[in-house]
Amino acid sequence: MPFYRDYRASIWDKKGDFITFLPCAFFFNSALGEIGQAEFTIDINNPLNTRDVIATGNYVLFEHERLGDWAGIIAPNNGLSWTGDGVRVVRALEVAHQFNRRRSPLYVVDNKPLAIVGNTGSLLRQVIKYANIKQDALLRPGNILPGETALIHLKYEMTNELVHALERKSQCESWVTADKDETGRLIFRVHLARRRGVSTGYTLREGINIELERGDIYREDNPIINDFAAIVQTETGYQHAQYEDRRSIYENGLWQGSAQDGEGDPKFLVRNTVALNRDPDRTYKVTAIETPETPDTFAHIGLGDVVNLCMYNGGAYYNEAGVDTTVRIVSREYSSVENKVILTVEEEEENAIR
């Protein structure tokens, strides 16, 4: 790492070629299923502060020895600015935003817009090709689960909408990571899997490797569904299924839901929908830290990873002394100035169907 002890930031041009390293402070956030953002500052009088380097459409790569990489594009969506004290503030959108910048084609056969059919993995590979057709978006297939047979309509649809449709059809998660090709050019790998992340067995423990945030530490929210019915159209006609969770109905009351144009196996759809929504989401907000006693905390908190959480500062209710549970990391916010990572973690639903 040429400038700082454990991280570096660099700028790459629109073709993925390296331009320069940037000595700068860096902030980024990432969350499952969302486009993260980053921000860094550079002195206006720095020779690197030119229109060729700090240019809309160029790429930013932040590499951290333990946190991993964050890649994004300098985009006009959230702007470039400078302050009265001579500091340029540069903002970037996470590289999954590439799909928001590209549209699918329109193929017409017999005066009807053409749809494409295949397993969800092969369809995602085709969407990647569409995103790269007019100008290379540097998107490349990564680890992509084949999935079930599906159909998607193009009709000039933006490619991010097609990706979301394939996520729903396959009941998978997609994400994009930075990589280099054989020539050293920056590229971005697109992945599709049942879930992002791994179960690490690592423990986040209050007073050891986490601090408690000010404000909300614990939240219960999101709608409950404990009785779900769905209709799915298949080649042989319509199939339907219904499932309810009596324990949740007893504890939370009856909360019904339905899908009239569901996809896939209706029995799996209704059971999984109830399993994932029968109780409110329980989330915690904590700050991960590294100390001489815990110097590698950041290596164990990947986005999507499942870890243990232990807090002794009281539970959310009168009769709860503390928290000892299994959680999944659903968002991360890092600041190189503070060298801390604010984590939002969600309590695992053990009986959800994966």
Side-chain angles (χ1 to χ4, degrees), residues 204-221:
L204 297 173
R205 197 178 301 275
E206 181 185 352
I208 303 297
N209 51 16
I210 59 169
E211 302 170 339
L212 298 189
E213 275 291 287
R214 294 180 179 179
D216 286 346
I217 296 173
Y218 174 81
R219 288 180 63 88
E220 289 187 9
D221 56 16

Side-chain angles (χ1 to χ4, degrees), residues 137-151:
L138 309 184
L139 296 168
R140 304 291 185 267
N143 297 317
I144 296 179
L145 186 73
E148 303 296 327
T149 300
L151 176 149

Side-chain angles (χ1 to χ4, degrees), residues 136-201:
D136 193 355
L138 309 184
L139 296 168
R140 304 291 185 267
N143 297 317
I144 296 179
L145 186 73
E148 303 296 327
T149 300
L151 176 149
I152 55 174
H153 295 274
L154 304 179
K155 296 185 297 187
Y156 291 145
E157 190 77 73
M158 297 303 290
T159 54
N160 66 304
E161 294 298 333
L162 297 179
V163 172
H164 294 326
L166 292 172
E167 287 178 318
R168 294 191 299 269
K169 292 173 185 291
S170 62
Q171 299 189 22
C172 287
E173 296 176 351
S174 72
W175 66 98
V176 185
T177 57
D179 197 2
K180 311 275 178 57
D181 68 12
E182 62 277 2
T183 68
R185 292 174 65 235
L186 183 66
I187 57 174
F188 308 116
R189 297 286 182 188
V190 182
H191 309 280
L192 182 73
R194 292 296 181 196
R195 296 186 97 194
R196 179 176 183 173
V198 296
S199 182
T200 67

Side-chain angles (χ1 to χ4, degrees), residues 4-25:
Y4 296 92
R5 178 172 58 87
D6 51 8
Y7 78 87
R8 65 185 181 188
S10 52
I11 298 290
W12 304 68
D13 71 13
K14 298 170 184 64
K15 296 181 179 180
D17 291 320
F18 174 78
I19 297 178
T20 185
F21 288 110
L22 285 176
C24 63

Side-chain angles (χ1 to χ4, degrees), residues 169-309:
K169 292 173 185 291
S170 62
Q171 299 189 22
C172 287
E173 296 176 351
S174 72
W175 66 98
V176 185
T177 57
D179 197 2
K180 311 275 178 57
D181 68 12
E182 62 277 2
T183 68
R185 292 174 65 235
L186 183 66
I187 57 174
F188 308 116
R189 297 286 182 188
V190 182
H191 309 280
L192 182 73
R194 292 296 181 196
R195 296 186 97 194
R196 179 176 183 173
V198 296
S199 182
T200 67
Y202 189 71
T203 298
L204 297 173
R205 197 178 301 275
E206 181 185 352
I208 303 297
N209 51 16
I210 59 169
E211 302 170 339
L212 298 189
E213 275 291 287
R214 294 180 179 179
D216 286 346
I217 296 173
Y218 174 81
R219 288 180 63 88
E220 289 187 9
D221 56 16
N222 286 350
I224 296 172
I225 300 175
N226 49 28
D227 180 341
F228 194 73
I231 299 175
V232 174
Q233 185 175 7
T234 68
E235 295 179 355
T236 58
Y238 287 94
Q239 297 182 11
H240 62 90
Q242 180 269 341
Y243 181 75
E244 64 186 46
D245 187 295
R246 294 182 180 180
R247 189 273 308 163
S248 174
I249 294 172
Y250 175 79
E251 293 182 2
N252 301 308
L254 178 63
W255 302 83
Q256 291 184 319
S258 64
Q260 289 74 39
D261 54 354
E263 297 171 342
D265 179 0
K267 292 182 179 179
F268 176 89
L269 175 61
V270 297
R271 291 181 66 89
N272 202 41
T273 299
V274 171
L276 291 171
N277 297 281
R278 58 190 166 195
D279 293 304
D281 287 345
R282 298 181 175 93
T283 59
Y284 302 85
K285 198 168 187 178
V286 299
T287 299
I289 58 174
E290 292 187 330
T291 67
E293 292 74 29
T294 59
D296 64 343
T297 303
F298 295 168
H300 301 280
I301 54 172
L303 193 61
D305 286 354
V306 175
V307 297
N308 303 315
L309 177 66

